[in-house]
Amino acid sequence: MNAANYVEHSLKLRHRLATLRWSLPVVLAVLAVLYEQGLGRWIHDTFGASQYFDLDILFYATIVPLLAFLTLTQLGRWLDQKEGAEQHARASQQWLAAITTTSADAIFSLDTQGRIETWNRGGEMIFGYRREEIVDQPFTRLLGTGEAAEAEFRWLMAEMRQSGQVRAYETTCHDSTGRLVWASLTAIRMETPDKLPANVSVILRDITERKRREEEVQKLNVNLGEQVAERTRELAEKVEALARANAELHKLDQMRMEFVSIVSHQIRAPLTNMQGAVERMESDCAAVNLTCKRMFDVLSQQTNRLDRLVSDVLSATRIDAGEIVLHPEPISILPVAQQIVNQVRARASDRPIHLPTKPGLPFVFADRERVAEVISNLLDNADKYSPPGKPVEIDLRADETGVILCIRDRGKGLPAADLDRIFEKFYRVNGGDDQTAYGYGLGLYVCRKLIEAQGGRIWAENHPDEGTIFSMMLPIAR
Ligand code: ADP
């Protein structure tokens, strides 16, 4: 009987039972009444005790039909429950059948001997075997031939007996053409109530593509590893070469600094002699005419410039090499400034330089020679970058941390963007008189380094009316 016939048959049965549930008790009751009116009454009158006759009537006409009704109702319920359970089982079966048919995995069962019993569409697609070709064949047909496949099969069956299942076990199979198929195997032993050897349900998922990609990634990783090792080797060689070049460069730099230092010292000595000679000639030669006087001035100015250049180059070289040596001590700035002002006045007699007498200023903790070098540089610049005859004013003041010296000239000032940049090495303001003025952009660089090395600060600003103010601050000696 197929499923549709079975359902129809079951429906009819339940329908009949429902009819019977109502009709049978009624028939029984009627029969009981009729019986008691005829044959029953005669039997009781003749043989029995007639006082129980009414009780009999009651029993046959009510209790028996009622019992029949209840029995048939219960029977109907059982039938309904049975039908429900069967419907559920049929739905599960259909659902499983649909999964098995549409699944892309190979789903099949093995009998107790390990022979394939069922075969689905997924199996056909993965292994290329049709149902009739593979059913009844041993499972080893998929696992491949040889001792290894046999051993694997034995292990699988042992595992089924022991733990009842194997999950996501990766293995290799062969399809109908002999092509290798990587598969993930999940198998489970079917339950039998009597604990007899049971069938095994198997799912084989094709993971060949994933395995192929994994192998490719592995190969790429190996390649990548080799490439990284190669690049690391190259890099190590380059780092070594760079270190060698650096050492070479350092040596050359050292030599350059030594050379600059030696040359500067060698130039300085004759320069001092020349300066002395010019001064003596100026003062001692009685018969100096006007032209000679002008020439002496030129000579004196040029030797001074040369001296400043040599001194700045020497200081910058030492600063860059980190070799600047300072001898700080508590000093008063005023006499140092006074000494430099005197020197500049001697050179530039037509330039009024105002230096206030400010007694009571605190001492600063600084290297006298270096402070003199900075003030001299700033005064030289004020003289160089402001028109002849215009005054230069020096101011000195103190606050709670330091003594501040400001030098103001009446030149054309500095572009706002250059106020800080002029302290960079070799920086000179573009265009204007300053580019025509003799210079090399080292003086202010040296000034900033020297002042900062002594814990001070140096900066430039434009005066609101005219000219530039250069200020330096040195910390008070405690
Ligand atoms: P140099 O004077 O040899 O060029 P400096 O380092 O002393 O080098 O000065 C850097 C630049 O700052 C100068 O080229 C000049 O343009 C500018 N400068 C310095 N002092 C003044 C000043 N008092 N007034 C205007 N510009 C100045």
Side-chain angles (χ1 to χ4, degrees):
M1 191 188 296
N2 63 25
N5 288 345
Y6 178 79
V7 171
E8 198 182 327
H9 178 75
S10 158
L11 253 172
K12 267 185 199 161
L13 191 72
R14 275 156 56 218
H15 186 69
R16 275 183 203 146
L17 204 68
T19 318
L20 212 62
R21 193 166 54 155
W22 293 106
S23 54
L24 187 66
V26 172
V27 170
L28 283 175
V30 170
L31 280 176
V33 170
L34 289 176
Y35 167 75
E36 294 303 336
Q37 292 306 322
L39 186 63
R41 183 170 286 276
W42 178 81
I43 292 170
H44 268 95
D45 289 349
T46 314
F47 304 105
S50 57
Q51 67 266 33
Y52 296 123
F53 184 70
D54 290 340
L55 275 178
D56 272 5
I57 290 273
L58 188 71
F59 179 76
Y60 288 118
T62 56
I63 303 296
V64 170
L66 188 67
L67 282 176
F69 177 78
L70 289 177
T71 311
L72 287 171
T73 305
Q74 188 56 37
L75 203 66
R77 265 197 213 128
W78 283 338
L79 271 177
D80 282 350
Q81 277 171 3
K82 182 171 164 277
E83 175 58 20
E86 278 170 357
Q87 261 180 14
H88 190 259
R90 275 199 300 280
S92 297
Q93 256 176 6
Q94 278 170 0
W95 180 66
L96 270 176
I99 289 178
T100 312
T101 316
T102 54
S103 173
D105 298 336
I107 303 175
F108 53 93
S109 60
L110 302 177
D111 64 13
T112 47
Q113 305 302 309
R115 291 181 172 279
I116 295 170
E117 273 186 336
T118 58
W119 192 243
N120 73 334
R121 177 94 185 100
E124 255 181 62
M125 288 192 305
I126 296 172
F127 294 100
Y129 288 116
R130 274 178 288 114
R131 197 175 181 289
E132 56 274 21
E133 288 175 316
I134 196 75
V135 165
D136 281 343
Q137 296 294 324
F139 181 44
T140 42
R141 176 89 178 259
L142 298 180
L143 289 178
T145 46
E147 188 47 38
E150 287 292 338
E152 199 170 24
F153 175 69
R154 281 199 298 278
W155 168 82
L156 188 68
M157 284 313 190
E159 201 65 13
M160 283 298 109
R161 275 193 300 279
Q162 270 170 23
S163 62
Q165 62 176 6
V166 168
R167 278 190 193 281
Y169 163 69
E170 293 186 359
T171 182
T172 48
C173 302
H174 291 89
D175 69 4
S176 58
T177 62
R179 184 182 66 99
L180 191 84
V181 177
W182 269 98
S184 164
L185 182 149
T186 297
I188 188 155
R189 191 182 59 202
M190 308 299 272
E191 283 297 321
T192 55
D194 41 11
K195 304 281 177 215
L196 288 171
N199 289 6
V200 174
S201 251
V202 182
I203 301 175
L204 282 178
R205 172 159 294 178
D206 186 355
I207 55 167
T208 313
E209 190 56 27
R210 196 194 85 200
K211 280 284 171 190
R212 202 176 53 74
R213 262 186 261 124
E214 274 175 10
E215 268 170 26
E216 271 172 20
V217 169
Q218 225 164 9
K219 266 188 219 152
L220 279 177
N221 276 347
V222 171
N223 280 353
L224 212 70
E226 281 169 7
Q227 279 179 14
V228 168
E230 177 79 1
R231 293 281 170 283
T232 314
R233 241 191 334 272
E234 280 175 22
L235 219 66
E237 280 168 14
K238 280 188 182 142
V239 167
E240 217 172 287
L242 219 65
R244 275 201 303 273
N246 201 22
E248 195 71 18
L249 221 65
H250 190 69
K251 218 165 106 189
L252 282 173
D253 208 41
Q254 207 72 25
M255 281 163 69
R256 179 185 64 82
M257 280 190 299
E258 272 168 30
F259 174 75
V260 171
S261 179
I262 290 167
V263 169
S264 305
H265 277 298
Q266 296 306 319
I267 292 174
R268 232 171 172 191
L271 213 58
T272 317
N273 291 343
M274 276 163 70
Q275 270 171 332
V278 170
E279 274 165 27
R280 278 201 68 180
M281 277 198 286
E282 253 189 314
S283 57
D284 291 359
C285 295
V288 174
N289 65 19
L290 213 63
T291 316
C292 287
K293 172 91 177 76
R294 266 210 320 276
M295 290 304 118
F296 282 147
D297 283 349
V298 171
L299 256 174
S300 166
Q301 202 184 27
Q302 295 307 319
T303 46
N304 267 325
R305 279 182 180 173
L306 257 178
D307 188 50
R308 155 96 24 243
L309 171 65
V310 171
S311 146
D312 282 349
V313 168
L314 250 179
S315 295
T317 313
R318 281 190 191 139
I319 286 166
D320 290 348
E323 286 173 358
I324 193 92
V325 183
L326 296 167
H327 303 288
E329 56 182 331
I331 55 161
S332 169
I333 289 191
L334 194 60
V336 183
Q338 185 68 63
Q339 180 200 340
I340 305 298
V341 167
N342 290 343
Q343 284 172 9
V344 178
R345 275 189 188 137
R347 284 204 304 271
S349 49
D350 57 340
R351 167 90 61 203
I353 302 175
H354 304 295
L355 177 68
T357 46
K358 279 210 172 166
L361 279 174
F363 278 32
V364 294
F365 191 68
D367 183 320
R368 187 187 305 274
E369 290 297 313
R370 296 304 182 182
V371 173
E373 190 177 337
V374 173
I375 298 175
S376 168
N377 240 315
L378 295 180
L379 265 184
D380 272 357
N381 278 354
D383 180 39
K384 201 160 64 170
Y385 296 110
S386 61
K390 291 264 187 178
V392 170
E393 286 141 30
I394 301 175
D395 184 36
L396 277 158
R397 63 177 196 277
D399 62 18
E400 56 282 5
T401 53
V403 175
I404 300 156
L405 178 141
C406 306
I407 300 176
R408 183 201 166 184
D409 60 44
R410 304 288 173 135
K412 69 180 176 87
L414 281 161
D418 288 330
L419 283 172
D420 203 44
R421 296 208 64 193
I422 50 172
F423 293 98
E424 290 171 14
K425 200 173 180 183
F426 300 124
Y427 190 82
R428 304 199 74 211
V429 176
N430 253 334
D433 296 343
D434 31 17
Q435 283 291 2
T436 53
Y438 173 83
Y440 30 85
L442 266 183
L444 290 179
Y445 168 73
V446 170
C447 288
R448 173 170 274 183
K449 291 287 176 189
L450 289 179
I451 292 295
E452 286 178 354
Q454 299 179 81
R457 204 160 71 79
I458 185 167
W459 67 99
E461 54 202 323
N462 285 317
H463 193 277
D465 299 334
E466 187 185 28
T468 319
I469 307 171
F470 279 87
S471 309
M472 56 177 252
M473 186 279 286
L474 283 167
I476 291 174
R478 304 279 172 201

